[in-house]
């Protein structure tokens, strides 16, 4: 095998064969090492959450990745490939040039309180800019409905850095753990609670709101979300429609207890 | 606990029923391992192999599973190198199948050799002219590759992915997959080939001996082609089976059709080359060393019908069926054709292993027969059971079919 | 960083030490050592490192008397070869002889006196103190009285002509009803018959093969162990030059028959007819010796008898074509030629009239007493002239009270049933065999003798040889504790026996007496194996010197054959009733009825069912198809299919005498309706070396009135059940 | 030491099939010489260990079927394209360059049995069992030949241990080349019919070289191109016809099989 | 990399290496002393002045006798000739009862290795010391160490556990044979040295 092992012959056949073998072995090894090094690098840059979001996003069904400009009907069909980071999207600015989204016209959708003065994240959190430059982060009404009487919030202590699409906090809905995606980058300065109607007070990083949904985008988005919810709860569309007479039914949980809520939560909170 | 391991949003049966499904396989595995233990402890007298039938069921098994396991490398090749994205739907499953086939084959080989503790001599003092050396080197390397390819599938398990290190490593590894796929293709190319060469070089066995092209006998290339043809078919069959057993739709129909088409085209190529090779063998190779090819088929049970079955019935027919669009529209025909294709390749391996040794060479030889002992069969079944277990576990706890979740949620879309 | 050890810490430590170990010799040396362990495989026996030496002796496995050169390490022989240019062995050994040094370690070796629980197959054999056993035998001996006469105390000597044989006879002469029985070896068959036909009783003859050109053999296994193998092989391998020609008259496709230049495949049991038929042609064509009238007393009667055996008749009965009968007659008439009657090592002798008819051909052709024929041989000096010994078939049934079976191997089988018939129900059988042969297993008492090459023994004239020879078999192994020299057995027995008052000589004295007599005769010369030198006996001043030479492995050879005196023979010693017996044959033998087949047992000399061979002979009997394991049944494919049998099937054969299991081997050269069953070694059984099966095919062979068992009938059919 | 001063030999053998009577002495002598253990109880002709095996062959139904030849088959020591050497994955088989003897080293052998499938003469045996000798018989092992372990292949090497001793003997006298008489394989030595001639084929004057060159001598399956160094001789041409396997004969064989 | 981590890893390495280099050899080899404490020095020194060949000689058929049999010793030591207790013991225990001395052979090769001394000594003219070292001058016999796994003497591998000889004569493994033969430009077959 090696020149110093007896029976090693300096013949062409030997050299070619072993040459190929050793280079293959080397390639396999280096691939592994490369992967490991890159892993460590990611951790040094603590991109772990970014990676996780990236992986999760990859696994999202296309129905969950509808572009905001499709929502507004500016384009027939468009699926997001930028992990909802419109800032990095090349198409987004052109759309904005052509059409600036109008403000929201109503605060109640399907009987849910979805005020238009807030910006919404695909993970069903809202962000409200306060006058002191901070932001308040909360769960939108649909999320509250889906979670039902959720509890066991694990809110990040003040001073924690959160990054958009990274985990903001965890809570559990009837035993099922749910992680809530952070809508924006920033530093937590205070924590609220469900009763208070908000969860985090965040000092945002500059200009990290581009990707949030707002104004006229909200209604079509919620409509599609309810649509997805419907499928998630009953793939075969067995149960009566959730929104009867424009009102989302009261207690989703009771209404469709048989559903795989674990899957539903994963679906709706964009968790693989 | 069990629930938290199952991927989100896919339906799996209850732990109880799953265990019930595993039990028989576990029992079978135990039985098989006992048989293998006997062979290792008592020596190979436990088998029905002998000095004349020095290769038996096990070698045949190795040739076969490795041919069928070729799906792993070829799917990987098409996906990562040829960028056929539709195959992403089955790549994980293909990798698991490959892993099972190759690790199983290596395990059986370790029982098959008389002195397993000396296995590493092949690396330390390799005889590079031996086809078996080529096989050994490639198998070990490719098995490593398969394990590495399997790792991401494991790391993406719902529980494990919670560990950031695993998730990130998986992510980084996945990005390098094309490299591994490339290496895997190279390795498979060589060992599928050298498995064919294994017999082609036997000038002492006129039935198997073939002319050399370059440094390899023609069987080298025929094996590569046939394996590449059988691989996708086998992936197709397994996927179809899993769908039937779990009563779920796991991949979109067009994936089946694509696999079928690939398999068909390669099979057609194989059949053509095989035919040419056979004619050369009958008219030149075999007579040149004093044996009339027909004499191989006159003696006892191996008639010329074998040639026909191998090349036409289980070669040409399925190839045409798989290629034709109209046929492939009908899943029944598609699967049947794929099965025929696999059987054809298995038959080829069988003939290569068994008929080669059964035929006499010396004028006073007799035609020999051989039937494996229960220990041999048991060892074989152990591999089957091991495969079943590994696949079942992988299917339950890992995402073998990425499309499953969406298909289960939005059927038809 | 607190003092608490976390799991992560342990992991780091482990990782570190793994690294450390990798950079130490441990894993690599272990890998290397494990490989070395598989390479020298400590499970294998270690080899001797003692110095190598040569030792010379003589093989005693059969009467052949081939010289042995043994390579020894630390005094233990590890390989045997024929002593180069040995006058008897011609420098070669047969397959059995080559493994002779292993017989002392035979798994079926008995090394203590035993008593058997019964005479049924698989009887329990349990150790018994030697003195007790001998006392018990003595008690029976003393208990014998005129009341239960006619009774006999019989001893079967399987190797007559030894000094030991003489001692046996002396002992028997002193016990009431003592009876000395011999089982003649095959080569003697023709010669003893000629003795009976000769006018002068003490006529001893030998075959002058070396010179002869045509050998007509009636079923003698000439090329499979006959005479001294070396001599026969020598003649055979030179045949291209010398024109030696072998004509084999044999029903079985034996190796000899297949190899012989001419093979007359005659129907079973038609040897007499063929012999007389040949006589017919010889006389008709006037090919007989010119002085036939002078050398025979009843030529006329003979001529009248054979006149009835014209070729067409004979051909119809024997299945040998008329032409080849005539051709054969003419060939053997072209002298020098010899005609010999065979005895199959397992199938036993030919019937009397066959032996006479065959021997008569020699007389007819005038080969008697002439060069290249059958020549008179000088007796071995010191061999006491004794009345001819009894043969077993002459003993009345159930008359034997004590039967002692000598341990020496003649190489030929006797069916136990034959002995059983002769022994009284209350009688006792004593075996002196060192090995647990089927015959031994059937004995009531076993006083095992030392094994082959453990005891100083003698080998005299090989059967059928023209000149006598004498050599000592020097022991190559120490005598194993617990075995008993037959001489000691006799001594102990006579000590406890009332009548017996003979003094039993010591082995040394016994053999020296022989040696001295030879030396006194002053005849012959001694071959020395060390350097192949020849030493004239006359040149050796003292008997001590002669003895010295013999014990160094020397082999004494007499000077040439005796002056042939013209002897007259009777061609029909049996007179008229013999003639009528022969004529009766013309009516044809009754063919076995419907379902049953003609069964002929066969064996290889020294490797029959009753003679154990070294386990290494499995190479030719079990691990290859060269020779047949016990219970191999050769059938014509046609016959096999007619009984629903195929090659390799296991079948059962059954007749009045018993049932046995056989393995079918189809052979196109076998006569239809005939089954040849091998009585040979069994497959090695390392798991249960002590266990002994039945007697094999011979248990089906009921010896007939004429004391032959070579032909019998039985039914054959596919075996059911798995027991073998 | 300079290898050139050592004569390179090409040891070979000629077996006279007209002399062989199939007595099997050679097989026993061989087994004893090489410490081959006796058969296990369940061993068969197909699982037994025989470095040398005598086969019987008759002239078949197309002739009388009555004429029989016994054929001692041992490793044919193929001199060209040696089938077993190329296939061994770990160099356990090689040709000894100075003697032309094909050597098999059980200590290196992995037991994959590929060489056995490669050998057209079935001259190789596999150790299906642990070697086992009856109690005491292991004392009678030949000290010059190491017993093989379970799970490896073994075969004839022309009694190479005897060549070792011959060389040692020569070396003691300061010579490199051996006396031919000092090196005779066990089978040749034991053959009662003297049917085997052994020696150096390179030495044109040797008996074996002359016999091999004789008209009546032939090889088995010469068309495979393996150039065996074991020759056979017979004056019976049906034997020569069968030995030289031709398309014609292979067909007729098939007819009758 | 925190300091603690580094320390832990270094400690681990030390631990592993220690096991491999120190404990492993102790565990691997047995130690047995020879039946008689034979002094080569006494025999080869001036008072006796014997050479290697006097005891380790060849037999007529070219075999090497190796360790001499008892009779060699008895030649001189038929009765006690020296003054040492060890010799006295030797004579009483072995010579008088004629019991062969169960010497443990340091350089005993496996049964499957064939080493013709004749070729190496007579033809190649290799001196004994080149392989066996200067033990001819040694006064006492070192303890015999056997490898528990392979059963061979430690001297085959060499005293140094790493396998790197600390003396030119140390180690008698195949690599050494091959290296020397390669230097001689010999082309051997396996069976030239394996039996």
């Amino acid at each position: 095998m090696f020149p110093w092992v007896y029976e090693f012959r300096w013949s062409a056949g030997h050299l070619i064969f072993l040459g190929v073998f050793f280079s293959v072995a080397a390639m396999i090894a280096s691939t592994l090492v490369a992967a490991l090094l890159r892993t460590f690098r990611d951790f040094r840059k603590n991109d772990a959450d970014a990676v996780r979001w990236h992986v999760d996003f990859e696994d999202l069904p296309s129905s969950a990745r509808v572009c905001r400009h499709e929502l507004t009907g500016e384009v027939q069909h468009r699926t997001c490939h930028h992990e909802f980071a419109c800032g990095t999207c090349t198409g987004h600015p052109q759309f904005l040039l052509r059409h600036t989204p109008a403000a929201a016209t109503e605060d109640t959708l399907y009987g849910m309180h979805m005020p238009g003065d807030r910006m919404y994240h695909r993970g069903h959190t809202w962000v409200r800019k306060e006058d002191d430059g901070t932001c308040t982060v909360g769960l939108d009404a649909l999320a509250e409905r889906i979670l039902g009487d959720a509890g066991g919030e694990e809110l990040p202590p003040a001073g924690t850095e959160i990054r958009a699409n990274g985990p903001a906090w965890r809570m559990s809905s009837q035993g099922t753990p749910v992680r809530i995606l952070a809508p924006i980058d920033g530093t937590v300065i205070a924590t609220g609670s469900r009763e208070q109607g908000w969860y985090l007070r965040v000092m945002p990083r500059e200009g990290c709101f581009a990707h949030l949904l707002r104004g006229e985008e909200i209604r079509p988005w919620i409509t599609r979300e309810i649509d997805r919810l419907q499928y998630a709860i009953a793939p075969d569309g067995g149960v009566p429609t959730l929104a009867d007479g424009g009102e989302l039914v009261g207690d989703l949980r009771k209404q469709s207890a048989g559903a795989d809520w674990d899957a539903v939560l994963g679906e709706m909170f964009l968790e693989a | 606990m069990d629930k938290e391991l199952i991927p989100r949003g896919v339906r799996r049966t209850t732990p109880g029923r799953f265990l019930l499904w595993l039990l028989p396989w576990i029992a079978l595995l135990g039985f098989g391992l006992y048989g293998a233990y006997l062979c290792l402890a008592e020596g190979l007298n436990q088998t029905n192999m002998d000095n004349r039938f020095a290769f038996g069921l096990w070698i045949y098994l190795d040739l076969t599973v490795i041919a069928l396991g070729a799906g792993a490398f070829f799917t990987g090749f098409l996906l990562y190198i040829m960028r056929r994205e539709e195959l992403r739907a089955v790549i994980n499953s293909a990798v698991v199948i490959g892993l099972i086939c190759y690790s199983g084959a290596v395990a059986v080989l370790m029982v098959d050799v008389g002195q397993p503790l000396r296995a590493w001599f092949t690396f330390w003092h390799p005889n590079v002219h031996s086809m078996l050396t080529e096989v050994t080197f490639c198998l070990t390397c490719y098995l490593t590759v398969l394990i590495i390819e399997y790792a991401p599938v494991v790391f993406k398990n719902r529980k494990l992915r919670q560990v950031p290190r695993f998730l990130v490593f998986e992510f980084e590894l996945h990005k390098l997959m094309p490299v591994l796929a490339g290496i895997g293709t190279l390795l498979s190319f060589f060992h599928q080939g050298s498995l064919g060469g294994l017999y082609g070089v036997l000038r002492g066995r006129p039935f198997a001996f073939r002319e050399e092209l370059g440094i390899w006998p023609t069987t080298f290339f025929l094996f590569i082609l046939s394996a590449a043809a059988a691989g996708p078919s086998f992936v197709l069959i397994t996927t179809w089976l899993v769908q039937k057993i779990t009563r779920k739709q796991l991949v979109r129909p067009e994936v089946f059709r694509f696999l079928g088409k690939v398999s068909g085209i390669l099979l057609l190529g194989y059949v053509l080359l095989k035919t040419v090779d056979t004619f050369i063998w009958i008219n030149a190779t075999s007579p040149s060393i004093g044996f009339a090819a027909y004499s191989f088929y006159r003696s006892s049970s191996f008639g010329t019908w074998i040639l026909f079955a191998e090349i036409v019935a289980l070669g040409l027919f399925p190839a045409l069926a798989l290629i034709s669009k109209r046929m492939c529209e009908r899943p029944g025909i598609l699967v049947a054709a794929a099965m025929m294709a696999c059987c054809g390749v298995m038959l080829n391996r069988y003939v290569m292993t068994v008929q080669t040794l059964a035929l006499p060479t010396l004028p006073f030889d007799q035609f020999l027969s051989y039937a494996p002992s229960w220990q041999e069969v048991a060892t074989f079944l152990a591999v089957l059971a091991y495969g079943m277990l590994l696949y079942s576990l992988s299917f339950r706890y890992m995402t073998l079919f990425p499309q499953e979740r969406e298909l289960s949620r939005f059927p038809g879309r | 960083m607190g003092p608490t050890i976390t799991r992560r810490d342990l992991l780091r430590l482990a990782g570190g030490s793994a690294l450390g170990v990798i950079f130490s010799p441990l894993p690599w040396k272990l890998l290397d050592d494990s490989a070395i362990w598989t390479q020298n495989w400590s499970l294998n026996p270690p080899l001797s490192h003692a110095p190598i030496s040569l030792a010379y002796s003589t093989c005693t496995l059969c009467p052949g008397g081939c010289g042995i050169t043994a390579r020894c390490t630390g005094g233990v022989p590890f390989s045997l070869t024929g002593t180069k240019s040995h006058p008897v062995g011609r420098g070669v050994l047969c397959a059995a002889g080559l493994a002779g040094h292993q017989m002392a370690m035979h798994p079926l070796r008995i090394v203590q006196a035993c008593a058997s629980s019964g005479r049924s197959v698989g009887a329990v054999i349990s150790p018994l103190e030697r003195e007790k056993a001998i006392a018990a035998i003595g008690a029976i001996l003393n208990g014998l009285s005129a009341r239960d006469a006619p009774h006999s105390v019989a001893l079967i000597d399987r190797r007559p002509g030894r000094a030991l044989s003489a001692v046996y006879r002396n002992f028997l002469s002193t016990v009431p009803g003592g009876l000395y029985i011999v089982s003649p070896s095959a080569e003697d068959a023709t010669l003893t018959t000629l003795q009976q036909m000769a006018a002068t009783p003490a006529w001893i003859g030998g075959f002058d093969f070396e010179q002869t050109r045509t050998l007509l053999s009636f079923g003698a296994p000439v090329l499979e162990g006959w005479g001294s193998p070396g001599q026969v092989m020598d003649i055979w391998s030179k045949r291209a030059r010398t024109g030696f020609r072998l004509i084999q008259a044999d029903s079985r496709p034996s190796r000899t028959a297949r190899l012989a230049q001419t093979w007359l495949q005659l129907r079973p049991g038609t040897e007499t007819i063929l012999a007389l038929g040949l006589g017919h042609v010889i006389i008709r064509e006037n090919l007989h010796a010119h002085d036939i009238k002078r050398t025979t007393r009843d030529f006329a009667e003979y001529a009248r008898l054979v006149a009835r055996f014209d070729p067409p008749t004979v051909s119809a009965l024997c299945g040998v074509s008329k032409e080849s009968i005539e051709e054969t007659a003419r060939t053997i008439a072209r002298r020098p030629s010899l005609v010999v009657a065979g005895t199959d090592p397992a199938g036993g002798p030919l019937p009397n009239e066959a032996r006479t008819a065959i021997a008569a051909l020699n007389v007819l052709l005038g080969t008697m007493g002439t060069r290249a024929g059958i020549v008179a041989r000088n007796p071995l000096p010191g061999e006491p002239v004794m009345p001819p010994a009894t043969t077993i078939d002459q003993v009345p049934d159930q008359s034997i009270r004590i039967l002692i079976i000598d341990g020496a191997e003649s190489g030929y089988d006797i069916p136990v049933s034959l002995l059983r018939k002769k022994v009284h129900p209350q009688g006792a059988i004593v075996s002196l065999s060192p090995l647990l042969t089927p015959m031994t297993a059937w004995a009531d008492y076993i006083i095992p003798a030392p094994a082959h090459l453990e005891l100083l023994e003698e080998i005299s004239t090989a059967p059928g040889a023209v000149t006598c020879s004498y050599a000592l078999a020097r022991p190559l192994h120490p005598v194993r504790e617990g075995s008993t020299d037959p001489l000691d057995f006799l001594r102990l027995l006579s000590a406890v026996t009332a009548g017996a008052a003979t003094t039993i000589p010591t082995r040394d004295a016994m053999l020296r007496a022989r040696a001295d007599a030879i030396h006194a005769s002053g005849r012959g010369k001694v071959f020395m194996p060390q350097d192949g030198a020849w030493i004239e006996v006359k040149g050796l001043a003292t008997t001590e010197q002669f003895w010295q030479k013999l014990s160094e492995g020397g082999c004494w050879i007499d000077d040439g054959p005796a002056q042939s005196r013209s002897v007259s023979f009777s061609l029909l010693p049996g007179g008229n009733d013999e003639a009528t017996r022969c004529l009766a044959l013309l009516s044809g033998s009754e063919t076995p009825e419907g379902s049953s087949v003609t069964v002929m047992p066969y064996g290889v000399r020294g490797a029959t069912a009753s003679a154990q061979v070294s386990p290494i002979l499995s190479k030719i009997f079990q691990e290859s198809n060269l020779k047949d394991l016990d219970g191999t049944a050769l059938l014509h494919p046609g016959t096999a299919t007619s009984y629903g049998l195929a090659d390799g099937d296991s079948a059962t054969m059954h007749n009045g005498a018993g049932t046995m299991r056989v393995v079918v081997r189809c052979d196109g050269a076998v006569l239809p309706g005939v089954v040849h069953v091998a009585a040979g070694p069994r497959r090695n059984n390392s798991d249960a070396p002590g266990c002994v099966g039945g007697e094999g095919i011979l248990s089906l062979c009921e010896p007939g009135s004429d004391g032959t068992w070579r032909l019998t009938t039985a039914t054959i059919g596919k075996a059911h059940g798995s027991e073998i | 030491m300079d290898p050139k001063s050592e004569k390179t030999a090409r040891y070979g053998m000629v077996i006279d099939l007209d002399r062989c009577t199939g007595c099997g002495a050679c097989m026993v002598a061989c087994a004893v010489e090489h410490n081959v253990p006796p058969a296990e109880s369940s061993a068969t002709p197909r699982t037994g260990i025989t470095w040398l095996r005598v086969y019987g062959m008759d002239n078949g139904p197309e002739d009388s079927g009555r004429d029989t030849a016994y054929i001692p088959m041992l490793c044919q020591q193929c001199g060209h394209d040696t089938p077993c050497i190329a296939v061994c994955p770990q160099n356990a088989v090689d040709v000894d360059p100075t003697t032309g003897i094909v050597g098999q080293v059980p200590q290196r052998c992995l037991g994959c049995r590929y060489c056995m499938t490669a050998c057209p003469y079935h001259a190789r045996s596999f150790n299906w069992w642990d070697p086992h000798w009856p109690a005491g018989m292991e004392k009678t092992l030949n000290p010059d030949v190491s017993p093989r372990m379970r799970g490896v292949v073994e075969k004839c090497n022309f009694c190479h241990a005897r060549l070792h001793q011959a060389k040692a003997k020569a070396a003691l006298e300061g010579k490199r080349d051996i006396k031919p008489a000092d090196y005779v394989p066990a089978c040749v030595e034991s053959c009662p019919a003297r049917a085997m001639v052994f020696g150096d084929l390179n030495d044109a004057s040797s008996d074996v070289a002359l016999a091999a060159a004789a008209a009546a001598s032939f090889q088995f399956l010469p068309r495979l191109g393996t150039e065996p160094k074991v020759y056979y001789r017979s004056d019976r041409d049906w034997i020569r016809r069968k030995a030289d396997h031709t398309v014609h004969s292979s067909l007729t064989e098939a007819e009758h099989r | 990399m925190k300091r603690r981590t580094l320390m832990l890893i270094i400690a681990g390495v030390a631990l592993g290496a220690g096991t491999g280099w120190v404990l492993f050899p102790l565990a691997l080899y047995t130690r047995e002393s020879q039946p008689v404490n034979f002094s080569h020095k006494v025999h080869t020194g001036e008072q006796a002045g014997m050479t290697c060949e006097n005891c380790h000689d060849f037999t007529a058929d070219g075999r090497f006798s190796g360790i001499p049999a008892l009779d060699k010793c008895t030649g001189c030591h038929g009765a006690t000739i020296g003054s040492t207790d060890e010799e006295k013991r030797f004579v009483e225990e072995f010579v008088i009862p004629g019991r062969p001395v169960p010497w443990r052979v340091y350089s005993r090769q496996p049964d499957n290795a064939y080493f013709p001394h004749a070729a190496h000594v007579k033809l190649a003219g290799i001196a004994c010391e080149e392989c066996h070292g200067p033990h001819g001058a040694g006064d006492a016999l070192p303890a015999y160490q056997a490898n528990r796994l392979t059963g061979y003497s430690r001297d085959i591998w060499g005293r140094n556990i790493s396998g790197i000889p600390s003396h030119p004569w140390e180690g008698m493994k195949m690599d050494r044979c091959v290296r020397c033969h390669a230097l001689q430009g010999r082309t051997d077959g396996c069976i030239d040295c394996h039996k």
Side-chain angles (χ1 to χ4, degrees), chain C residues 136-150:
Chain C
I137 301 162
I140 307 175
L141 229 168
N142 298 331
L144 293 176
S145 65
R147 196 159 30 73
D148 40 28

Side-chain angles (χ1 to χ4, degrees), chain B residues 270 274 305-315 344 347-348 351:
Chain B
Y270 165 69
K274 172 80 183 172
W305 62 269
I306 280 208
L307 263 181
F308 175 80
E310 194 189 326
I311 299 179
V312 182
L314 297 174
L347 179 63
N348 168 267
V351 167

Side-chain angles (χ1 to χ4, degrees), chain C residues 2 4 9 12-13 16-17 19-21 23-26 29-30 32-34 36-37 39-40 46-47 49 52, chain E residues 4-5 8-9 11-13 16-17 20-21 24 28-29 61 63 108 111-112 147 149-150 152 157 161-162 173:
Chain C
T4 55
D9 295 341
R12 293 201 176 98
L13 195 69
S17 34
L19 199 68
V21 168
F23 286 103
S24 81
L26 189 146
K29 182 140 174 48
L30 276 182
D32 188 47
D33 285 353
S34 67
I36 295 174
W37 176 75
Q39 284 172 320
N40 76 326
L47 295 178
H49 293 272
I52 309 285
Chain E
R4 179 194 171 86
T5 315
L8 277 164
I9 290 176
V13 170
W21 287 97
F24 173 58
L28 184 64
Y29 292 108
D61 59 358
R63 292 167 192 270
R108 161 96 12 114
D111 279 345
N112 61 57
N147 182 317
L149 208 55
T150 64
Y152 297 148
W157 172 264
I161 187 68
S162 69
K173 275 180 69 76

